[in-house]
Amino acid sequence: MIYLDNNATTQMDSTVVETMLPYLREKFGNPSSRHRQGRAARAAIDTAREQVASLVSAHPSQVIFTGSGTEANNLAIKGYVAGVMSGRLFIGSTEHPSVTSTADKQARFDGWSRFELPVTENGLLSDEAMEKLNMAKSGDLVSVMLANNETGVIQPISELYGQLGLKDKGVTIHTDAVQAAGKLPLNFSALGVHMLTLSAHKIHGPKGIGALIRDKSIAIEPQMDGGGHEAGLRSGTENVAAIVGFGAAAVLAHESLVRTSEKLLALRTKLENGLRMIPGIEIIADKTDRLVNTSCFTMASVEGETMLMMLDKAGIAIASGSACSSHDNTPSKILTAMGMDKSLARRALRVSLGKDNTENEIDTFLETLKMKLASFNSIASNVAI
Ligand SMILES: Cc1ncc(COP(=O)(O)O)c(C=O)c1O
């Protein structure tokens, strides 16, 4: 099996699994209990909070653990809107559904409206987006992701928002950094945002655990009420093992960032040099600053979904869009937002590399893709005759 779908999820690192195991076995205490076992669980959460904070150079008290990246995006947007009478939501047009659908719902509330920020064909915020953002006023909320899950395009948000003076105008800024974490150096305050979303399973940690990093001067309303866990912002007995795993994954991601990025860039360069030799393949946004692990491309003749299944049969795991939208055959909203026509967007595939991929795997992938394209084309031409 060659796994090239690391933006959908990553394999848990064995160190992460080992770190978690005691919390699934003998260290099962409830972190809210006062006895020794409870205190041990609480201490483990405190350590993980420091580790996750350190990945983004934030203070541990700024970390709110949530049940996923999706939940953290919901908490950021719903939690903020719930505390402000009226305002405008400015949302990137290539955001993850956990941002777009959350924003859609909030815009139905009295006093709130939603503005979509268009992107260029390279996936970057367009001039029109900048004009719209220039209208943002104190109390409004902007949410644009740091790096895109399908194309890997990196949005230079701190520079753009700096030029517009958004923070000085009192605009609240959220960013979904789920795909950026572990691939880009992240510094919460240098980014100039008030809220930032992370998810553990994209950085070799467990699924079902995320975090919202927040500037404590911004009020957010909890979306889950109860015993007041996570500074009152996310009630519910903590998933200690998952939190501990997230902490361990954050340490690994932090420590290996430079080494891993260099390796991934070398692998992607090899991959894209190979792809460019295959007739009909076009790499999307290849002139734009992208995550070093991500390569999204279109093919001339075959639909992404068809090729995905052909490659799966050959033991290669790849995506034809984001994992969340792969269950239906509607073309990727991200690619169509970049101005791609629907039929071409249906012919897109995404390779997302991980730290454990090898050069041999890239060679095998390229060879297999060429073979499958050739066999598809010959079947298609026979059918045409
Ligand atoms: C950019 C982005 N944001 C948010 C999420 C959601 O994270 P989670 O799977 O932890 O809910 C994903 C997952 O695919 C993602 O790629």
Side-chain angles (χ1 to χ4, degrees), residues 73-110:
N73 282 340
N74 272 262
L75 177 60
I77 298 171
K78 290 181 182 165
Y80 179 74
V81 167
V84 181
M85 284 291 285
S86 64
R88 289 173 296 182
L89 287 165
F90 293 89
I91 306 292
S93 58
T94 56
E95 297 303 300
H96 189 265
S98 54
V99 166
T100 48
S101 46
T102 305
D104 284 348
K105 262 195 180 167
Q106 302 314 290
R108 286 189 223 138
F109 293 144
D110 270 357

Side-chain angles (χ1 to χ4, degrees), residues 2 4 267 270-275 278 311 316 353 357-371:
I2 298 180
L4 301 175
L267 284 179
K270 180 179 171 66
L271 167 75
E272 294 194 342
N273 286 342
L275 287 174
I278 304 176
L311 291 169
I316 298 174
L353 303 164
N357 287 129
T358 62
E359 291 201 6
N360 276 345
E361 289 180 331
I362 301 296
D363 287 332
T364 308
F365 166 70
L366 288 167
E367 278 316 304
T368 315
L369 179 65
K370 269 188 256 177
M371 239 163 51

Side-chain angles (χ1 to χ4, degrees), residues 7-8 67-71 73 95-96 98-99 145 147-149 176-179 197-202 207-210 322-324 350:
N7 285 7
S68 58
T70 296
E71 190 189 317
N73 282 340
E95 297 303 300
H96 189 265
S98 54
V99 166
M145 66 192 354
N148 189 268
N149 43 311
D176 175 345
V178 164
Q179 295 292 346
T197 294
L198 297 172
S199 174
H201 74 102
K202 311 287 185 176
K207 294 175 183 56
I209 185 76
S322 74
C324 319
R350 176 191 72 188

